[in-house]
Amino acid sequence: MTKLIVADDHPLFRNALINAIGNLITVEATIETDCFDATVQALEQHPDADLLLLDLHMPGNCGFLGLIQLRKTFPTMPIVVISASDDLDVIRRVMNFGASAYIPKSAHPLEIGNALNTVLNGELWLPEKYQHLFKADPQQHDDSDLASRVAQLTQQQYKVLYYLTEGWLNKQIAYDLHISEATVKAHMTAIFRKLGVTNRTQVVIQAQRLQLETPADRDLSRHPG
């Protein structure tokens, strides 16, 4: 019996995925979330969950930043990333940052079942055409170094970093997080130190290395012409 957390902000896709999985493996319970914060809360409330299925494009996830935070906070939880992207660099980095599997949203249900059973058995999984990405990756050292620095951030510092990448002002961040501007500045000082930078611009540049796309790209994908 398997307990799953399915994190995706599109209800129709969540329902379709849950129905497909239910026909492939025996599922005891499914918890659904539609944003990064809700996913963290679900993981905290259900420490007995067997698997997290994660959409990288969820609100609050900020590309690979969310994956790195989840991997740090819940080190034993197998994370399966499900994405519409077939970009080889994205797939390679997803695995570098600690995912147990990468499943394209176009995958056949039987392939999804194979992936989940493989991960539940403690192994890594990629579609056959991406198996070569398991080989040594020259970029892995740089990714691991940046991920280890990002993983030092507290959950509140992660939220401040996320808002910085979205271009928010200190007073906007303070209002949304219900903290003072002085506390925001203190978080930013800690972020500077942990990421090895000296100003806000450098923080954003570092964070952009962990984004899947620019904010403009995201807007286009959510509101296609």
Side-chain angles (χ1 to χ4, degrees):
M1 300 287 283
T2 304
K3 188 174 186 178
L4 304 177
I5 297 176
V6 180
D8 192 292
D9 62 325
H10 293 90
L12 289 177
F13 179 76
R14 278 203 316 269
N15 291 339
L17 180 61
I18 291 168
N19 288 336
I21 291 173
N23 293 325
L24 299 166
I25 62 176
T26 303
V27 178
E28 174 188 5
T30 303
I31 298 93
E32 300 180 46
T33 65
D34 61 2
C35 68
F36 184 78
D37 284 348
T39 302
V40 172
Q41 291 173 11
L43 287 164
E44 291 173 343
Q45 294 168 2
H46 301 276
D48 58 335
D50 298 292
L51 199 64
L52 167 64
L53 284 78
L54 177 69
D55 174 23
L56 293 179
H57 292 269
M58 274 196 316
N61 199 49
C62 200
F64 300 111
L65 280 170
L67 174 60
I68 292 169
Q69 279 291 303
L70 293 173
R71 186 72 292 146
K72 176 199 78 170
T73 310
F74 308 98
T76 62
M77 175 63 62
I79 300 176
V80 173
V81 169
I82 298 185
S83 175
S85 174
D86 59 359
D87 185 292
L88 294 182
D89 186 57
V90 170
I91 300 171
R92 180 184 294 109
R93 299 184 78 195
V94 160
M95 303 305 288
N96 285 352
F97 291 132
S100 295
Y102 185 96
I103 302 176
K105 286 190 173 180
S106 59
H108 188 279
L110 291 179
E111 193 173 30
I112 295 174
N114 182 29
L116 298 185
N117 281 317
T118 299
V119 172
L120 289 170
N121 285 328
E123 301 175 26
L124 302 179
W125 186 92
L126 281 175
E128 187 173 349
K129 64 180 178 180
Y130 300 134
Q131 291 283 315
H132 64 282
L133 298 178
F134 280 130
K135 297 178 181 178
D137 172 21
Q139 188 178 344
Q140 186 166 2
H141 175 75
D142 291 339
D143 279 347
S144 298
D145 178 63
L146 182 54
S148 66
R149 284 185 276 134
V150 170
Q152 297 176 46
L153 302 179
T154 65
Q155 192 61 33
Q156 194 80 327
Q157 289 164 4
Y158 167 79
K159 290 179 180 179
V160 172
L161 177 59
Y162 170 74
Y163 287 133
L164 288 176
T165 65
E166 295 293 307
W168 286 36
L169 301 175
N170 287 4
K171 62 181 180 181
Q172 293 174 304
I173 299 173
Y175 178 81
D176 198 70
L177 295 181
H178 307 291
I179 58 178
S180 68
E181 287 190 53
T183 301
V184 172
K185 291 178 181 178
H187 283 318
M188 289 177 61
T189 298
I191 292 169
F192 292 172
R193 175 175 52 83
K194 291 176 179 180
L195 296 190
V197 300
T198 58
N199 58 57
R200 189 185 190 109
T201 300
Q202 291 176 347
V203 165
V204 173
I205 290 172
Q206 287 285 68
Q208 285 175 342
R209 290 175 55 192
L210 296 172
Q211 289 187 321
L212 299 170
E213 55 199 1
T214 67
D217 290 334
R218 289 200 300 274
D219 289 340
L220 285 174
S221 66
R222 291 173 183 170
H223 306 286

